[in-house]
Amino acid sequence: MTSLYSKELEIAQLAVQRASILTKRVFHEKTKGTVSKDDASPVTIGDFGAQALIISALKHNFPHDEVVAEEEAAELRSNSALRDQIWELVRTTQLDDVAAEGLLGGAIKDAESMLDIIDKGNSKGGRVGRIWTIDPIDGTKGFLRGGQYAVCLALLEDGEVKVGTIGCPNLPVDDSAPLTADIGANATDEEGRGVLFSAVIGQGATSRPLKTGALAEGKSISMKPITEMSNASFCESVEAGHSNQSESARIAQKLGITKPSVRMDSQAKYGSIARGAGDIYLRLPTSKTYQEKIWDHAAGDLIVREAGGQVTDTKGNRLDFGVGRTLATNSGVIAAPKAVHSQVLSVVQEVLGVK
Ligand SMILES: Nc1ncnc2c1ncn2[C@@H]1O[C@H](COP(=O)(O)OS(=O)(=O)O)[C@@H](OP(=O)(O)O)[C@H]1O
Ligand SMILES: [Mg+2]
Ligand SMILES: [Mg+2]
Ligand SMILES: [Mg+2]
């Protein structure tokens, strides 16, 4: 008997694997075709190319589903040199397993079709129906700096995350490799690195080595119970502009955590705590106006919850993926093992003065 969402899970994992081949190629290039977006954040040829490959696979398999993706093609329509660079990458990236590549529908027709495909990620999101959300490169600043980054894909149905997949080319394959500052900062995809995290609602979370063809065998993962807060490790963003790092240090101190935080880019943080390499992920708002994007959290939220964790915002509410392209009703993220989540939340609220 096939289980619920088995086709969605298989396609999602293969699509993330294929997109990761492309991002790894760009990761090793000196020039990554970086342009600055309207909000001053960077985007590279890797982000555009990965988004094109993932949407193409989704449209081949699930033509009626909507897609909320981070990037848009507007800039590429007026910059043909950049478009051509991306097309060259997309045209020459495929899974090295013919059957797996066939499941994703094979190659995109031409450069113009590629731009149209990138723009199919423009859904407004919402509470109704099937909507995929894509972060083609999460942690683009990390990708450029030489840190962690992730290729992220999730399926929402009526506003709830049902399937989530995160490809982390630079994380150790070994689920028990402890979370260290070095893993956060050390960007390499040499032998022994590259992991694919996945979850389906009600079916648990898994990790497997990130491959270039057919999927590797998966292993079930779970969060590590925290027996002593003094030994707990927490992770947060590298970029001080994305998460308040002085407040998190005060929270850690009040909780009795003695180790310094591990700073790591991208949803690699969610995957790392889901497999028990780390314990707690704190993301504390740095401004009252910034709204977190659904593609930055959907896959990670499900993977952590399916691994035995609890994920809320700083108000103690579950993340609500049904209000549009952003988490407009939420503020920050607190992810921790279920048994200690309320303890962590109450210290967060005390330090932030949240009622
Ligand atoms: N002001 C502010 N506050 C909170 N979050 C923000 C902010 N600005 C940007 N972003 C989003 O942060 C995403 C990357 O954050 P990360 O946690 O991966 O890592 S890090 O902050 O770069 O260390 C990053 O995702 P990518 O653009 O996919 O890299 C952004 O969507
Ligand atoms: Mg992101
Ligand atoms: Mg991104
Ligand atoms: Mg971005």
Side-chain angles (χ1 to χ4, degrees):
M1 196 186 86
T2 54
S3 49
L4 214 51
Y5 300 109
S6 58
K7 179 174 177 202
E8 286 81 355
L9 176 65
E10 182 182 32
I11 298 303
Q13 292 181 124
L14 287 173
V16 166
Q17 261 192 190
R18 183 170 71 172
S20 302
I21 300 171
L22 184 147
T23 63
K24 283 164 61 115
R25 289 174 64 190
V26 179
F27 184 77
H28 291 286
E29 295 282 336
K30 259 207 197 72
T31 52
K32 299 185 171 60
T34 311
V35 285
S36 187
K37 297 199 281 188
D38 291 346
D39 65 359
S41 70
V43 57
T44 74
I45 51 175
D47 303 60
F48 290 119
Q51 178 162 321
L53 286 175
I54 295 174
I55 297 182
S56 166
L58 294 178
K59 287 291 167 188
H60 177 75
N61 285 281
F62 312 108
H64 304 298
D65 292 359
E66 290 188 27
V67 181
V68 169
E70 181 179 359
E71 313 302 345
E72 58 179 26
E75 168 89 18
L76 311 179
R77 296 187 192 278
S78 57
N79 184 342
S80 59
L82 195 62
R83 181 201 65 182
D84 292 348
Q85 253 183 299
I86 298 162
W87 173 237
E88 190 52 28
L89 273 171
V90 167
R91 188 182 70 76
T92 56
T93 299
Q94 57 271 122
L95 291 169
D96 59 24
D97 179 276
V98 176
E101 178 65 23
L103 282 174
L104 299 186
I108 293 172
K109 206 168 73 213
D110 52 34
E112 272 311 303
S113 320
M114 176 186 78
L115 300 189
D116 294 342
I117 287 169
I118 289 172
D119 278 337
K120 287 198 160 60
N122 66 356
S123 161
K124 289 186 168 51
R127 185 109 29 224
V128 183
R130 285 168 53 108
I131 305 174
W132 294 85
T133 186
I134 304 172
D135 195 337
I137 292 184
D138 182 35
T140 304
K141 286 184 177 169
F143 180 73
L144 290 165
R145 198 192 320 106
Q148 291 294 333
Y149 74 95
V151 178
C152 310
L153 175 60
L155 172 64
L156 308 173
E157 207 169 57
D158 299 335
E160 273 201 46
V161 196
K162 302 292 188 181
V163 178
T165 306
I166 304 177
C168 299
N170 297 338
L171 272 190
V173 175
D174 180 3
D175 289 327
S176 60
L179 197 62
T180 61
D182 184 52
I183 286 175
N186 190 356
T188 154
D189 53 16
E190 69 201 6
E191 199 52 36
R193 299 270 182 135
V195 56
L196 185 64
F197 297 106
S198 303
V200 174
I201 192 153
Q203 296 175 28
T206 59
S207 87
R208 70 191 70 226
L210 187 63
K211 296 287 188 193
T212 55
L215 294 171
E217 187 85 21
K219 276 189 297 180
S220 159
I221 54 170
S222 57
M223 294 192 79
K224 192 171 60 195
I226 300 180
T227 44
E228 286 289 338
M229 264 300 175
S230 57
N231 288 329
S233 65
F234 87 92
C235 51
E236 61 182 349
S237 293
V238 173
E239 298 289 330
H242 295 178
S243 184
N244 190 316
Q245 297 170 345
S246 52
E247 282 169 348
S248 66
R250 279 165 57 211
I251 290 161
Q253 192 188 18
K254 271 189 186 283
L255 280 167
I257 294 174
T258 54
K259 294 192 234 173
S261 72
V262 174
R263 292 183 177 158
M264 182 183 268
D265 301 280
S266 86
Q267 290 188 56
K269 292 185 279 293
Y270 283 109
S272 295
I273 66 167
R275 64 174 171 173
D279 300 299
I280 295 167
Y281 169 21
L282 298 178
R283 189 175 186 93
L284 308 173
T286 54
S287 88
K288 286 209 159 59
T289 50
Y290 183 78
Q291 295 182 351
E292 295 286 347
K293 309 298 188 286
I294 62 170
W295 54 79
D296 281 328
H297 301 284
D301 172 83
L302 183 68
I303 290 167
V304 165
R305 288 186 297 109
E306 285 296 325
Q310 177 68 284
V311 184
T312 69
D313 69 359
T314 58
K315 294 178 279 191
N317 298 324
R318 285 271 307 276
L319 304 186
D320 185 354
F321 295 96
V323 290
R325 290 174 66 90
T326 69
L327 296 169
T329 59
N330 294 117
S331 160
V333 179
I334 315 295
K338 256 193 206 128
V340 300
H341 185 275
S342 63
Q343 185 190 349
V344 176
L345 179 64
S346 74
V347 173
V348 167
Q349 294 188 332
E350 189 189 325
V351 170
L352 302 191
V354 179
K355 299 193 179 50

